[in-house]
Amino acid sequence: MFRIGITGALLLAALSGARAETAAERGFYLVNTIMACGNCHSPRDAEGRTISDKALSGGLKFTTPAFVATAPNITPDVETGIGGWSDAEIKRALVEGLRPDHGRLAGVPLAAIMPANFYRALLPDDLDAIIAYLRSIKPVRNEVQEPVYKLPVHRDAYPDAEAGFDKAMLGDPVRRGAYLVTIGHCMECHSAWSRGVSDFKNGLGRGGRVFPAREGSPEGTPPSVAANITADPAAGIGAWSDAEIARAITHGIARDGRPLKPPMAYAFYAGLKDADLADIIAYLRTVPPLQ
Ligand code: HEC
Ligand code: HEC
């Protein structure tokens, strides 16, 4: 009797541990790890850390030749956040980069810094999960500065996002890694880039994009240059071990031990599940070598 009782308890514990994630849990994971929405959308303290009770209530201001835009409040606050938006409207902002036809800046497209060209790859369940999570967070009142647009919005088509993914493809670890790298918009920073245009066709993963120092950033963010993350053994990460690549992504430590600079979202990627990290690395190993 006693033994059956223990076994039963263990079995129950195992079952509850193995229960399927809810949509909001999946959304929490996507938003706070691979998609790192808060890297742009959350306000920071003097040390550059996210202010946790104000997470996602509006964050960085981006100044480019095409626009000046601040990542808005995406908490469910009705007046200053997205609490008044329908699910379809939030989806449209994420995957098409378009605002709703009502409210603040009705119908005006979002600046290209919001990576909708990558998010269009999101599987329907993941899109629903992100919305379920965004609806579940605490509404925070915070109005961000109005954007200024100087040039028409230009988003580069990302080949894997255009081709799309389906659940069956994600059975293959390399394609699953490609999906995560797409929704993580890794190659937006890491591909050849010139005057606002990315060259995903000839420069995928080649690096070289320069991120200027952030003016007015509390931690005095230094300028940085995106690394070559192709499989090239000399210029890229082809000769790195899996553990070295994993450490760079999740802890911001280069192969030689040097701390890696922002804007890559190391602290968010630290929460990646081991299996997801392994698939991301499996995909990176297939990125054609470029010098
Ligand atoms: C690289 C920075 C960046 C990342 C990463 C990012 N966003 Fe954005 N997002 C922005 C900026 C900047 C804007 C505003 C653009 C403008 O004003 O034209 C924006 C706009 C939005 C809007 C429209 C809100 C409004 O009031 O107009 C939503 C919704 C949104 N983002 C959700 C998300 C979610 C969810 C994620 C993660 C899955 C995410 N964003 C990731 C920078 C980013
Ligand atoms: C917002 C821009 C940005 C995004 C998004 C980004 N990175 Fe980076 N990444 C950088 C920059 C900049 C560096 C170099 C930092 C330095 O040298 O101090 C870097 C460094 C790296 C390195 C270390 C390479 C080396 O030679 O030191 C790896 C590996 C890497 N990134 C992989 C990824 C992966 C995988 C993703 C997506 C999950 C990603 N990055 C997303 C900007 C970005």
Side-chain angles (χ1 to χ4, degrees), residues 34 39 181 184-186 189-190 211 224-229 237 240 245 248-249 254 258-264 266 269 280 284:
I34 187 65
N39 201 35
V181 164
H185 73 116
C186 312
C189 292
H190 281 283
F211 295 90
S224 61
V225 182
N228 182 327
I229 58 167
I237 55 174
W240 296 32
I245 301 174
I249 296 171
R258 165 180 70 93
L260 293 166
K261 295 174 196 158
M264 188 165 149
Y266 313 102
Y269 304 148
I280 289 170
L284 292 178

Side-chain angles (χ1 to χ4, degrees), residues 27-269:
F28 171 93
Y29 177 70
L30 291 170
V31 166
N32 295 301
T33 68
I34 187 65
M35 300 187 73
C37 312
N39 201 35
C40 294
H41 282 278
S42 293
R44 295 164 195 235
D45 65 16
E47 275 79 51
R49 278 189 295 259
T50 300
I51 305 171
S52 56
D53 64 339
K54 296 208 172 108
L56 301 176
S57 69
L60 299 183
K61 178 174 166 182
F62 299 88
T63 305
T64 78
F67 57 83
V68 178
T70 304
N73 181 348
I74 54 169
T75 74
D77 185 61
V78 175
E79 277 169 34
T80 64
I82 57 170
W85 296 25
S86 70
D87 287 1
E89 286 165 348
I90 302 175
K91 285 184 191 177
R92 199 160 78 123
L94 285 169
V95 303
E96 293 178 55
L98 296 172
R99 290 186 173 86
D101 299 323
H102 60 83
R104 198 176 81 104
L105 298 159
V108 178
L110 295 165
I113 185 83
M114 171 62 191
N117 45 335
F118 293 84
Y119 296 168
R120 58 178 288 148
L122 281 165
L123 295 178
D125 285 354
D126 281 346
L127 202 46
D128 287 339
I130 292 168
I131 290 165
Y133 170 66
L134 291 177
R135 297 247 186 251
S136 77
I137 62 179
K138 190 181 70 141
V140 178
R141 212 190 144 73
N142 179 40
E143 197 148 3
V144 304
Q145 212 179 329
E146 290 278 292
V148 178
Y149 302 114
K150 302 178 209 163
L151 294 171
V153 178
H154 166 84
R155 283 195 170 79
D156 297 297
Y158 185 64
D160 271 349
E162 299 301 312
F165 293 86
D166 59 42
K167 271 193 177 154
M169 290 160 83
L170 302 197
D172 167 19
V174 170
R175 289 323 289 161
R176 225 175 136 267
Y179 175 68
L180 294 166
V181 164
T182 301
I183 65 171
H185 73 116
C186 312
M187 293 303 186
E188 177 167 38
C189 292
H190 281 283
S191 297
W193 188 88
S194 166
R195 278 180 284 161
V197 179
S198 295
D199 188 355
F200 299 126
K201 199 161 169 269
N202 304 305
L204 186 76
R206 194 175 69 196
R209 179 165 175 180
V210 176
F211 295 90
R214 291 202 73 84
E215 47 172 300
S217 85
E219 77 276 32
T221 302
S224 61
V225 182
N228 182 327
I229 58 167
T230 69
D232 189 274
I237 55 174
W240 296 32
S241 68
D242 286 0
E244 285 166 341
I245 301 174
R247 186 178 72 160
I249 296 171
T250 59
H251 289 80
I253 300 172
R255 197 182 191 202
D256 61 8
R258 165 180 70 93
L260 293 166
K261 295 174 196 158
M264 188 165 149
Y266 313 102
F268 289 83
Y269 304 148

